[in-house]
Amino acid sequence: MGKVYCIVGNGVAGDAAASVIKERDPKSEVIVFTEEGKALYNRILLKEFAKGKLNQNSVDIRDEDWYLNRGIDIRLNTQIIRIDSENKIIEVNKGDHQKYDQVLVATGGTPRELNVPNSGAEGIHHFWTMRDTIGIRNHAETASFGAIIGAGLLGIDLAAICGAHGVESKYIMRGDVWWRNALSNVGGEIIHKSLRDKNVLPVFNKEIECFEERRGKVQAVVTTDGERHEADFVGVAVGLDYNIELIQNTGVEYRNGIVVDEHMFTGVEGIYAAGDIARYHDVIIGEELQNGSWGSAKKQGMVAGENMVKGRDYKKFEWIPSYSITHFKYPIISFGHPTEGEKFLEKKYSENEWRRLAFKHGRLIGGVLIGDVSSQSRYKKIITERVEQVDQEMSILDKKIDLEKIVVKKA
Ligand SMILES: Cc1cc2nc3c(=O)[nH]c(=O)nc-3n(C[C@H](O)[C@H](O)[C@H](O)COP(=O)(O)OP(=O)(O)OC[C@H]3O[C@@H](n4cnc5c(N)ncnc54)[C@H](O)[C@@H]3O)c2cc1C
């Protein structure tokens, strides 16, 4: 009998792990559990589907047959409620149990609700799944006034969706700049202007007091200073709650994410974690980090899969994430860990071209590029090579400098 590998979650991390495991250990039994009713699809493209620019089929990646043809057992609409780490059994919501040799927790997160009155009113949307997206698209097609809450990467997707459907909207933010931990006011203003051009008006320095509703439907957003913003469509993107119920009492450590080493191993025999939920030891930056991006989740799933088959420290996760935003007439890329810096340097080159680099302990660790994103791979190389550039920091913002030549002095 081959080994039994269980994968909880069929996002990109779980899918990548399942594929690698079956390739490396063809005689094994690989079972993928997902509480969604659909096999892996492309979450990155959901925003384009919601804008009306893609049809639903373009977002699909796998169907059930893809797994079955490879001998992978996929169980849709199946939630795992508990892992019994002592007996190596997982408990399925339908009352079944499944023995495992190795299990991967790749359960990601669920968008957090705002804890204010009427936050469950009809017309208030969260954005994560295909089901959410269908609701968002259908509603945005007919809505009159929108309000988006949450100045981050998912919030701006919701704002762009309202813009694409011509919904006159307010984008309500806590601070005075969009994605304030990664951008400055100068860089943020480029984005704010483009939002205004789409009829999405940024509203700064506000906290939400409550939603107004009539007959169960949202009517307006009220802020703590008494302002009322009429909205029959509301998008809330204020962070994720990680799906960790199943690891209670397993001994797996949790610190706003499942703590794993650079091999995606939790430290508890047979249990690995990967993707958005994993708080991993980053060997490049030398710290515990977490990342919510597609490429990173996929790579972590692959590393976890390798190690589940070949031994817990066979492969290391070594990766610089990036995240692109394509809502405007110019590209935006965030790379590395731009919100983790201790020191920031920035430069504006033209109306829609700006860069900001984040440094920690004298090393580049990430940045955001607006307009010209062509230097992304050079900056990533500087991070990967752990270059100490204390006396060269400003020069790496100079477009005339050959960034290849910066890669000389390693930490
Ligand atoms: C709208 C949107 C746009 C995005 N845009 C970008 C982008 O442009 N670029 C980028 O890099 N990243 C983007 N991301 C982020 C990226 O999609 C995620 O980082 C990535 O999908 C995370 O993959 P994952 O496998 O860790 O988790 P998920 O994709 O969240 O998958 C986890 C799965 O586990 C299931 N699950 C949870 N608990 C259980 C349980 N107990 N039992 C069974 N199943 C369970 C969930 O239902 C889910 O299907 C976007 C995300 C969203 C939602």
Side-chain angles (χ1 to χ4, degrees):
M1 280 290 280
K3 282 192 177 163
V4 178
Y5 298 92
C6 289
I7 313 292
V8 190
N10 183 225
V12 67
D15 172 84
S19 308
V20 164
I21 292 169
K22 198 65 192 176
E23 263 174 49
R24 300 286 183 268
D25 187 0
K27 293 204 176 101
S28 65
E29 192 178 343
V30 181
I31 313 171
V32 180
F33 299 92
T34 172
E35 60 189 10
E36 289 196 64
K38 199 173 160 45
L40 178 72
Y41 53 90
N42 193 330
R43 288 200 203 284
I44 295 186
L45 292 181
L46 289 179
K47 52 197 131 184
E48 299 306 322
F49 169 54
K51 282 182 191 169
K53 295 199 170 163
L54 289 178
N55 60 31
Q56 196 175 332
N57 294 344
S58 338
V59 178
D60 289 343
I61 297 181
R62 311 260 193 251
D63 56 17
E64 277 178 89
D65 286 347
W66 189 92
Y67 294 98
L68 299 175
N69 292 338
R70 282 160 184 77
I72 298 172
D73 180 357
I74 179 153
R75 314 243 179 112
L76 303 180
N77 299 307
T78 307
Q79 187 191 29
I80 300 306
I81 49 179
R82 198 169 81 90
I83 298 176
D84 173 353
S85 53
E86 217 168 289
N87 299 302
K88 290 193 147 185
I89 288 172
I90 56 178
E91 203 176 304
V92 184
N93 63 339
K94 297 164 180 165
D96 297 341
H97 292 82
Q98 174 64 52
K99 269 223 97 22
Y100 67 83
D101 292 295
Q102 314 274 348
V103 61
L104 176 71
V105 183
T107 48
T110 302
R112 187 173 299 150
E113 274 192 21
L114 266 175
N115 187 16
V116 298
N118 300 323
S119 62
E122 194 182 320
I124 300 179
H125 300 273
H126 299 87
F127 195 16
W128 199 260
T129 63
M130 174 58 84
R131 186 194 286 235
D132 299 337
T133 313
I134 292 169
I136 288 169
R137 176 173 165 156
N138 289 344
H139 188 184
E141 278 169 358
T142 58
S144 304
F145 297 105
I148 309 305
I149 299 157
L153 296 165
L154 282 185
I156 203 158
D157 287 349
L158 286 160
I161 291 163
C162 284
H165 288 285
V167 184
E168 192 182 324
S169 301
K170 305 278 181 62
Y171 191 173
I172 303 172
M173 312 186 194
R174 236 186 196 160
D176 60 355
V177 60
W178 175 74
W179 204 20
R180 61 184 165 160
N181 292 333
L183 268 68
S184 68
N185 291 67
V186 175
E189 190 44 36
I190 299 175
I191 313 285
H192 303 157
K193 182 174 177 307
S194 300
L195 287 165
R196 288 185 204 106
D197 290 346
K198 290 184 185 292
N199 217 4
V200 175
L201 183 69
V203 179
F204 301 114
N205 300 313
K206 303 289 174 192
E207 289 286 331
I208 308 303
E209 174 76 27
C210 67
F211 297 107
E212 272 181 24
E213 58 97 25
R214 192 175 337 125
R215 294 198 195 100
K217 290 191 178 173
V218 70
Q219 303 291 306
V221 178
V222 180
T223 55
T224 49
D225 56 3
E227 271 184 16
R228 180 183 185 279
H229 299 275
E230 189 173 346
D232 53 338
F233 176 106
V234 173
V236 175
V238 293
L240 293 179
D241 288 323
Y242 295 105
N243 301 318
I244 46 139
E245 297 75 9
L246 72 170
I247 57 146
Q248 307 301 325
N249 306 317
T250 52
V252 167
E253 204 177 338
Y254 179 76
R255 254 194 311 272
N256 199 38
I258 294 181
V259 180
V260 290
D261 61 13
E262 59 270 40
H263 311 289
M264 314 321 294
F265 177 57
T266 61
V268 174
E269 166 56 28
I271 307 184
Y272 291 74
D276 284 8
I277 200 162
R279 208 166 163 77
Y280 59 93
H281 175 71
D282 188 301
V283 291
I284 300 170
I285 310 294
E287 285 180 13
E288 187 179 289
L289 289 173
Q290 198 161 357
N291 189 259
S293 68
W294 183 269
S296 176
K298 182 172 180 181
K299 184 74 183 170
Q300 288 184 15
M302 291 166 76
V303 169
E306 293 275 7
N307 294 337
M308 287 164 79
V309 174
K310 302 259 168 130
R312 64 176 66 142
D313 54 3
Y314 177 70
K315 274 253 159 84
K316 272 186 196 163
F317 174 67
E318 197 164 358
W319 181 259
I320 316 265
S322 49
Y323 196 111
S324 359
I325 297 170
T326 52
H327 297 308
F328 307 116
K329 57 185 180 215
Y330 47 81
I332 306 170
I333 272 197
S334 138
F335 63 91
H337 304 277
T339 60
E340 301 285 331
E342 293 170 341
K343 178 176 169 186
F344 301 90
L345 294 174
E346 64 175 84
K347 191 162 180 178
K348 189 168 178 189
Y349 303 88
S350 67
E351 195 189 347
N352 290 332
E353 202 187 331
W354 175 86
R355 290 183 196 172
R356 189 183 203 229
L357 303 178
F359 298 85
K360 196 164 193 181
H361 308 312
R363 279 169 49 194
L364 179 67
I365 60 162
V368 179
L369 311 177
I370 298 180
D372 177 1
V373 298
S374 57
S375 50
Q376 183 210 176
S377 53
R378 294 272 194 278
Y379 285 131
K380 278 185 163 181
K381 191 168 175 208
I382 292 175
I383 300 176
T384 316
E385 306 239 332
R386 299 137 167 94
V387 177
E388 275 184 1
Q389 61 251 303
V390 195
D391 50 347
Q392 300 182 64
E393 284 173 355
M394 259 330 271
S395 64
I396 64 172
L397 278 169
D398 185 343
K399 280 191 156 190
K400 290 192 210 99
I401 281 276
D402 179 358
L403 289 173
E404 280 293 335
K405 298 214 169 97
I406 299 277
V407 187
V408 286
K409 207 166 125 198
K410 295 195 182 177

